Each structure stands twice: as structure tokens, then as C-alpha cells.
């Protein structure tokens, strides 16, 4: 049960334009900038001060939430490294951002090692139960795909959670803290509580109907049957106990012990509220599915841009490949030549092409062959770049290219419709005094996940399996992202680390479902081509072209002077869908830039999702 206590001072919304202005004019050299700084206050019910930009030394954290960043910062201050801080921050996000992240979900962690200069990754993506089949999300009578809203609020969409295994794997390989020490501050935070802000309330409100349909979810997130009031303190003692159970019994208890049994029982018997019995479809998960779960370390995908080395997450996410392919295409043009309308045109076209290709070729590498290297080759980029006409936008849906065979014809065929993909998730970045870096995106899929809380355990289960294509996207063509036993659904998460001469230069990532790819790509184009500082690149208005006839855009993008020129080229814009704020938003990025003078600049969103929180260990003012 959550505990709501009184009304406290409302969280002040600081930053926005001020932080961005403070972040100074853009430098012309890639990865070198100016901007201000901050630390924070102790974790607990009083919110730490929140700033979208921080500059300093000794390590940094940037996340969507000041309580979470503060937990990570404290770990760094006490001698922990970037991995320790990333796990600590993620565990705290499970407390303060429970609708976007938590131990009921999964994610991808990319890590740079300052000693070896290697980049490694952990694939903590959820897996489908062994009983899942290609047609599990179709109506057996008609063969039609299940209604997405029915699938979203069901046990059927719950994948085997990978987050705890990710933390265990990362700490074991690269951390200095035990699992128990890494999660203890977050257990304390869950006990002590956090002050509800407008964002948390809005996200709860958006989920209210779903949450009311599931008893333990209603009890936890609608305490007293009501939406949590802004300014009140939200406590989650169940989650505190769960973190302590994991600390005492070890993380394996989520896979083979008491927590595993609780998860499986909940998935098989979703605890519907009175009047909602029979409306929540049970899932297929069994104990063996949890027991056999692994979070493998994988080679990152690699590409280059302007002499920089980009390391991204490979399949089972499409993020690293799509961002890398789009940049490979862009580098064949003079995007930084000062014509911003042309730069945006090329950004949108490269994204359109990369989406056509990722939809056709990327799936779980343990069950399908993904031609990652070929998709990131310069030969494929040349074939695909050839389609871009500076005077005319391509038509969507555009057909995918074939990375296995060169297309000398340069032909733009008609492709398949885009699969449905939602928007939620969270991204954090950390660095430490030794120069290690972590870029970590984690999620429970849609905001509020499956809406199914594990009774008395204080966390929501994911609905990640809705990221599978329920039926082939293009009838008659092999679809690498159909459901299957033990399979990971294709993701868009794109945690990215960029090196310059073998040393970190920039790290970035974002939430936002399929718009994660475009947000990361646009942020990099803004930073590396359009002369913006990192805070400006993160704050700039966004547009997201995902091989659709219309490009989704934020209101500020629609107000850009370049819009008319883009429309003359044939681009058609539509406002991005509203999520939980009155204004449509795309993504909510965080990043760190490593500057030539040895300082780091940590940056978070100034406005989106209520504004994020960047902190450094030793601020320079
Ligand atoms: N399920 C999404 C993905 O893996 C992330 C969740 C979201 O942001 O919607 O790409």
C-alpha cells in the first residue's frame, strides 16, 4: 500500500529557458562547451534542487528526476563508480518514476571502460514465455490481431523482467558495490517517500481507469481511492521491503525464489478489481521462464560520424542500428553547411529510410539473423542515401532496402505500414572520476506498464511484449519481430556513447518508444552538425519521421521558420500525440559531454516531462 501524507510544499519547476540560456552559445568543435552547474540536497521527502545543466568534475548523473539523480550522485561521492551510480539511480527511478521504470521491466545498459577503452553492453530486455507462439496475439477464430488496448492491460503482454538481472550482471562485472548496497538508498527513499509533482499526478491521472481495474494497483497508486495530490508525500513501503528482500536473499530471488513465485502467480491470475473480473487476460509465464532468464553482455554496434566513434546498443533493440544507419546516410551530404531547412530535410529523410530498414530486418538475434554489420556498412548507406532528393521528400511508407544485395537501381518502392509503438520509458547517464561512462535506458513499456502491480511487492509489471508485431507487418514477407518462445521483442531504445580518439566525448539517450531513435538522432545532428551546445540540442523542438506519410512534430517545431521550406519540399507535419502534458512532447533526453579541459557537462530536459535533473560531484561555477 502507498502512504500519502499531508500536503507539503509543491515542487518548484525551475530551469527551462534559463538553464538553456546559461548553457551558452554553441561551440563549433564537436564535444566542447560551456555552462553552469549544481549539486543537490539529501535524498528523502524534500525534493533536491533541480537543474537541467551541471558542469564540474568527479563524475556526473543526469536523469529525469532529482531524487534519482541525487541517489546516483551520493554513490559517486562515496567512491562508487559509474556502474554503481547507474544501478543506484535506476533503483531510485523505480521509486519515483514507477510508471516508466522498475524491477518489473527491462532495458539496455551501455558502458565505457576508462582503463581498457572498451564499450560493452548488457541486454536486459524482457523475454516472452516459452509457451508464446507467433499467433499468441491473434484471435484464434478470425486470425485478426488482438485489440492493442486489450493486449496492453493483460498478463499476456508481460515479459520476463530483465532489470534486476541487468543490475546484477553490471555490478558483478564492473561495479564496486554489492547489490544490497546499490539498492539500499532506494529502499530508504521508498520508505521516506517523495513529494508528488504535477508530472506524477498527471501520469497517474492518465492511467486512472486502468489502475482502478486492478486491486493492488488501485491500492498502491490511488491511495484512499484518489489521485495523489500535488505536494503530498508518496511512500511505497512494499517496494522498500521488496528491495530489502532482494538485498538479503540476493537478486536471484526474483528469478527462482519468492518474488518469482509472486510474479508468476500475478501474471497467471491478474488481480482484477470487483466488477472487472474476467477483463484482464492471464499470461503464459511459468516459473521456468524466470529461471532460464539471462541478461547477456553483447558487442555494441559501431559506426563513425565526423571522425567520432559511435557505440550503440545492438539487437534486440533496433536503436543502435537505426541511429548508426541514419548518420551513415547523413555523412554523405553536407548537413552542416548552414542551410538549416536542408539539414532538417536530410535528417527527416535519413530517419524515414532507417525506419523502413529496421522494420524489415531487426529482431531478436537469438532467434533471427540480423545483418547488423551490413546495415551499418558504407555500401548500404550509399545505396540508401541515393534515394534522397534535396528538392523533394520521399513518399512513405517507403520499401526497405536489402543490405545483403547492393541496389544499383536506386529505386524507392512502396513499403508496409508502420507497426504500433507506444511512448514511455526513462534514460539515465552517469560518469565517474576515473572516466567510466554508463548510458542506460530502462522501461516497463507504456507509461504504467501492464497496470498490473504484484500484490504487496510495490511494483508494476511491464507490457513489453506488445512491442512484437502481432501479425506480419507486410503479408507474405518474413517479419523478424513476430512473437516466439523465449524471444525478445524488438525495441527502439538507443543508449549511445561517443568516443573521440578512444576517449568519451558525448553520451546521450532518451525515452519515447519509437521516437527514441529520432530523438537521439536529432539531438546528435543538433549537436554535431547544427552548432548547438548539448543543452540546446536537447531542448530544441523535435520532429519524428518514422516512415509515415506525415511527420509528427512538437508545437515549437511547427513554429520554426524552416517549416514552410520543408512543406514546399513535400513534407507534411502533424502535431505529435499528447501524452500526459497539455503540450505534445517527443522524448526526454539526458546526456553528458566530456570537455577538453577535463570537466563534464551533464544535461537533462529543461521542460519535457516536467524537466530532468543533472548533477556533478564537484561543480565548477
Ligand atoms: N517498449 C519501448 C521500446 O523498447 C520502450 C517503451 C517506450 O518508450 O514506449 O522501444
Amino acid at each position: 500500500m502507498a502512504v500519502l501524507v499531508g500536503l507539503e510544499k509543491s515542487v518548484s519547476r525551475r530551469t527551462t529557458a534559463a538553464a538553456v540560456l546559461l548553457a551558452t552559445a554553441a561551440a563549433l568543435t564537436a564535444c566542447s562547451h560551456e555552462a553552469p552547474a549544481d549539486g543537490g540536497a539529501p535524498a528523502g521527502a524534500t525534493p533536491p534542487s533541480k537543474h537541467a545543466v551541471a558542469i564540474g568534475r568527479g563524475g556526473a548523473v543526469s536523469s529525469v528526476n532529482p531524487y534519482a539523480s541525487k541517489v546516483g550522485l551520493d554513490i559517486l561521492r562515496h567512491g562508487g563508480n559509474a556502474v554503481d551510480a547507474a544501478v543506484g539511480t535506476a533503483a531510485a527511478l523505480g521509486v519515483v518514476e514507477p510508471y516508466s521504470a522498475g524491477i518489473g521491466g527491462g532495458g539496455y545498459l551501455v558502458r565505457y571502460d576508462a582503463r581498457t577503452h572498451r564499450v560493452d553492453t548488457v541486454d536486459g530486455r524482457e523475454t516472452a514465455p516459452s509457451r508464446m507462439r507467433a499467433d499468441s496475439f491473434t484471435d484464434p477464430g478470425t486470425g485478426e490481431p488482438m485489440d492493442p488496448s486489450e493486449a496492453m492491460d493483460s498478463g499476456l503482454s508481460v515479459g520476463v523482467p530483465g532489470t534486476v538481472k541487468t543490475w546484477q550482471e553490471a555490478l558483478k562485472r564492473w561495479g564496486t558495490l554489492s547489490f544490497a548496497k546499490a539498492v539500499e538508498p532506494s529502499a530508504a527513499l521508498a520508505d521516506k517517500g517523495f513529494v508528488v509533482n504535477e508530472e506524477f499526478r498527471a501520469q497517474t491521472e492518465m492511467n486512472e481507469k486502468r489502475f482502478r481495474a486492478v486491486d493492488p494497483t488501485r491500492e498502491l497508486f490511488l491511495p484512499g481511492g484518489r489521485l495523489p495530490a500535488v505536494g503530498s508525500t508518496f511512500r511505497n513501503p512494499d517496494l522498500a521491503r521488496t528491495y530489502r528482500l532482494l538485498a538479503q536473499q540476493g537478486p536471484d530471488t526474483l528469478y527462482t525464489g519468492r518474488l518469482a513465485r509472486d510474479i508468476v502467480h500475478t501474471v497467471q491470475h491478474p488481480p482484477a478489481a470487483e466488477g472487472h473480473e474476467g477483463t484482464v487476460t492471464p499470461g503464459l509465464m511459468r516459473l521456468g521462464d524466470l529461471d532460464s532468464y539471462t541478461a547477456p553482455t553483447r558487442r555494441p554496434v559501431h559506426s563513425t560520424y565526423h571522425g567520432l566513434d559511435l557505440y550503440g546498443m545492438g539487437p534486440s533493440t533496433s536503436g543502435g542500428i537505426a541511429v548508426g544507419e541514419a548518420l551513415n546516410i547523413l555523412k554523405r551530404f553536407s548537413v552542416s553547411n548552414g542551410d538549416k531547412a536542408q539539414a532538417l530535410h536530410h535528417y527527416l529523410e535519413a530517419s524515414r529510410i532507417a525506419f523502413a530498414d529496421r522494420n524489415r530486418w531487426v529482431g531478436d538475434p537469438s532467434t533471427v539473423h540480423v545483418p547488423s554489420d551490413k546495415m551499418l556498412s558504407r555500401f548500404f548507406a550509399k545505396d540508401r542515401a541515393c534515394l534522397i532528393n534535396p528538392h523533394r521528400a520521399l513518399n512513405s511508407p517507403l520499401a526497405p532496402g536489402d543490405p545483403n544485395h547492393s541496389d544499383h537501381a536506386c529505386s524507392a518502392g512502396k513499403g508496409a505500414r508502420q507497426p504500433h509503438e507506444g511512448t514511455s520509458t526513462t534514460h539515465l547517464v552517469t560518469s565517474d572520476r576515473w572516466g567510466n561512462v554508463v548510458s542506460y535506458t530502462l522501461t516497463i513499456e507504456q507509461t504504467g506498464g501492464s497496470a498490473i502491480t504484484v500484490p504487496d511487492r510495490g511494483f508494476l509489471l511491464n507490457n513489453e511484449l506488445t512491442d512484437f508485431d502481432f501479425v506480419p507487418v507486410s503479408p507474405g514477407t518474413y517479419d523478424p519481430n513476430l512473437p516466439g518462445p523465449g524471444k525478445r521483442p524488438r525495441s527502439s531504445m538507443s543508449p549511445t556513447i561517443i568516443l573521440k580518439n578512444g576517449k568519451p566525448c558525448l553520451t546521450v539517450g532518451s525515452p519515447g518508444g519509437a521516437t527514441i531513435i529520432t530523438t537521439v538522432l536529432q539531438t546528435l545532428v543538433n549537436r554535431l552538425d547544427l552548432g548547438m551546445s548539448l543543452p540546446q540540442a536537447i531542448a530544441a523542438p523535435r520532429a519524428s519521421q518514422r516512415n509515415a506519410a506525415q511527420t509528427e512534430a512538437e508545437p515549437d517545431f511547427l513554429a520554426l521558420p524552416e517549416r514552410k521550406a520543408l512543406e514546399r519540399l513535400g513534407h507534411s507535419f502533424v502535431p505529435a500525440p499528447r501524452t500526459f502534458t497539455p503540450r505534445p512532447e517527443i522524448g526526454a533526453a539526458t546526456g553528458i559531454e566530456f570537455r577538453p579541459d577535463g570537466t563534464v557537462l551533464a544535461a537533462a530536459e529543461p521542460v519535457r516531462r516536467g524537466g530532468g535533473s543533472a548533477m556533478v560531484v564537484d561543480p565548477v561555477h
Side-chain angles (χ1 to χ4, degrees):
M1 279 269 285
V3 184
L4 265 177
V5 185
L7 277 179
E8 295 179 13
K9 215 169 37 180
S10 174
V11 184
S12 67
R13 282 193 176 198
R14 305 180 56 180
T15 70
T16 66
V20 177
L21 286 175
L22 282 169
T24 73
L28 296 173
T29 322
C31 302
S32 57
H33 283 283
E34 306 284 324
D38 183 57
T46 310
S49 61
K50 189 168 74 170
H51 302 274
V53 180
I55 295 183
R57 299 175 191 276
V61 184
S62 183
S63 81
V64 73
N65 188 287
Y67 290 98
S69 294
K70 182 67 172 57
V71 167
L73 192 82
D74 285 344
I75 288 175
L76 292 174
R77 278 186 178 145
H78 288 96
N81 68 20
V83 165
D84 302 324
V87 172
T89 306
L93 287 169
V95 179
V96 294
E97 295 283 329
Y99 309 145
S100 297
I103 59 175
Y108 299 97
L109 186 148
V110 178
R111 182 232 176 209
Y112 167 80
D113 186 304
R115 201 170 44 82
T116 62
H117 306 292
R118 263 180 70 106
V119 178
D120 287 293
T121 78
V122 182
D123 180 343
R125 184 68 161 171
E126 299 91 334
T127 53
S130 58
R131 288 192 286 171
M132 183 144 276
R133 299 289 174 264
D135 60 359
S136 289
F137 284 104
T138 59
D139 180 323
T142 63
E144 288 297 311
M146 189 185 241
D147 183 69
S149 62
E150 188 193 336
M152 282 167 190
D153 299 357
S154 82
L156 200 57
S157 69
V158 181
V160 176
T163 290
V164 166
K165 228 12 152 200
T166 304
W167 298 351
Q168 182 183 21
E169 196 63 35
L171 288 171
K172 187 181 79 191
R173 286 178 182 271
W174 308 300
T176 66
L177 294 184
S178 65
F179 191 96
K181 283 262 184 265
V183 300
E184 176 47 34
S186 301
L189 178 59
D191 264 337
K192 203 164 177 184
F194 63 93
V195 178
V196 171
N197 61 14
E198 289 92 348
E199 190 72 14
F200 185 76
R201 184 187 156 95
Q203 292 189 20
T204 313
E205 190 171 13
M206 162 189 147
N207 278 294
E208 186 175 354
K209 194 162 162 237
R210 311 168 68 217
F211 285 4
R212 284 201 189 283
V214 182
D215 269 340
T217 309
R218 189 193 67 244
E219 287 164 14
L220 178 60
F221 294 115
L222 298 167
R226 289 187 297 279
L227 290 170
V230 173
S232 61
T233 297
F234 186 92
R235 296 192 173 119
N236 190 344
D238 286 349
L239 183 59
R241 274 191 295 277
T242 300
Y243 278 163
R244 293 199 174 107
L245 184 73
L246 285 163
Q248 284 151 14
Q249 300 199 348
D252 284 340
T253 192
L254 193 129
Y255 295 95
T256 56
R258 277 162 59 188
L259 286 176
R261 289 194 289 279
D262 286 357
I263 290 172
V264 167
H265 186 266
T266 308
V267 171
Q268 292 183 0
H269 308 279
E274 211 182 308
H276 294 275
E277 295 90 349
T279 59
V280 187
T281 311
L284 305 171
M285 196 185 294
R286 292 195 287 211
L287 278 174
D289 297 317
L290 283 153
D291 191 15
S292 57
Y293 183 84
T294 59
T297 50
R298 301 191 193 276
R299 247 179 359 113
V301 289
H302 172 251
S303 52
T304 59
Y305 196 62
H306 296 331
L308 306 171
D309 287 288
L310 270 88
Y311 291 90
M313 189 74 215
S316 52
T317 182
S318 59
I321 289 182
V323 171
E325 181 190 337
L327 290 175
N328 280 344
I329 291 171
L330 284 175
K331 73 185 178 197
R332 306 189 71 83
F333 301 94
S334 306
V335 180
S336 350
N337 71 357
D339 183 337
K340 191 168 169 206
Q342 273 296 312
L344 290 171
H345 169 61
H346 282 79
Y347 151 66
L348 295 172
E349 295 297 79
S351 177
R352 186 193 310 274
I353 294 169
F355 264 88
D357 298 335
R358 83 39 127 163
N359 289 347
R360 170 66 184 84
W361 298 104
V362 183
D364 179 355
S366 65
T367 58
V368 300
H369 170 69
V370 185
S372 305
D373 291 343
K374 288 180 178 163
M375 291 182 79
L376 288 173
S377 71
R378 65 191 164 91
F379 305 107
F380 190 53
K382 186 172 170 214
D383 278 356
R384 302 302 276 158
C386 149
L387 299 177
I388 297 181
N389 179 344
H391 309 296
R392 188 81 215 149
L394 287 157
N395 289 324
S396 277
L398 176 74
D402 184 350
N404 299 304
H405 301 100
S406 189
D407 174 15
H408 300 295
C410 190
S411 58
K414 188 166 164 26
R417 66 174 175 81
Q418 290 305 291
H420 165 85
E421 289 170 69
T423 57
S424 79
T425 308
T426 194
H427 183 77
L428 65 96
V429 286
T430 61
S431 66
D432 62 31
R433 69 183 79 165
W434 301 282
N436 304 300
V437 183
V438 172
S439 192
Y440 181 22
T441 316
L442 63 161
T443 184
I444 58 171
E445 204 325 86
Q446 100 186 77
T447 304
S450 64
I452 302 172
T453 298
V454 181
D456 304 321
R457 296 304 189 190
F459 66 93
L460 285 157
L461 291 168
N462 69 83
N463 57 359
E464 213 73 55
L465 304 187
T466 57
D467 276 356
F468 282 123
D469 298 336
F470 291 2
V471 292
V473 166
S474 187
T477 304
Y478 176 74
D479 185 330
N481 191 35
L482 291 178
K487 194 172 172 182
R488 291 164 145 86
R490 179 177 58 216
S491 170
S492 298
M493 289 187 259
S494 312
T496 305
I497 294 179
I498 302 179
L499 307 184
K500 185 177 186 177
N501 302 324
K503 299 223 172 100
C505 147
L506 188 62
T507 177
V508 71
S510 176
T515 69
I516 291 171
I517 291 170
T518 58
T519 295
V520 169
L521 180 61
Q522 192 174 1
T523 304
L524 294 178
V525 169
N526 287 344
R527 175 67 192 93
L528 303 174
D529 287 307
L530 300 185
M532 296 184 202
S533 67
L534 179 61
Q536 289 167 335
I538 284 176
R542 297 198 180 113
S544 179
Q545 169 47 247
R546 307 192 301 280
N547 197 17
Q550 293 186 301
T551 298
E552 289 176 1
E554 294 180 328
D556 288 351
F557 188 95
L558 295 173
L560 287 178
E562 289 78 17
R563 174 183 178 176
K564 281 209 162 48
L566 289 166
E567 285 175 338
R568 277 197 296 275
L569 294 175
H571 290 280
S572 166
F573 296 99
V574 62
R578 271 176 41 189
T579 48
F580 17 80
T581 59
R583 283 172 72 78
E585 293 178 355
I586 297 176
T590 54
I592 301 176
E593 182 152 333
F594 302 84
R595 310 191 317 163
D597 66 358
T599 58
V600 299
L601 182 159
E605 286 286 350
V607 175
R608 298 176 183 98
R609 296 220 182 170
S613 161
M615 296 182 181
V616 292
V617 172
D618 295 317
V620 291
H621 296 283

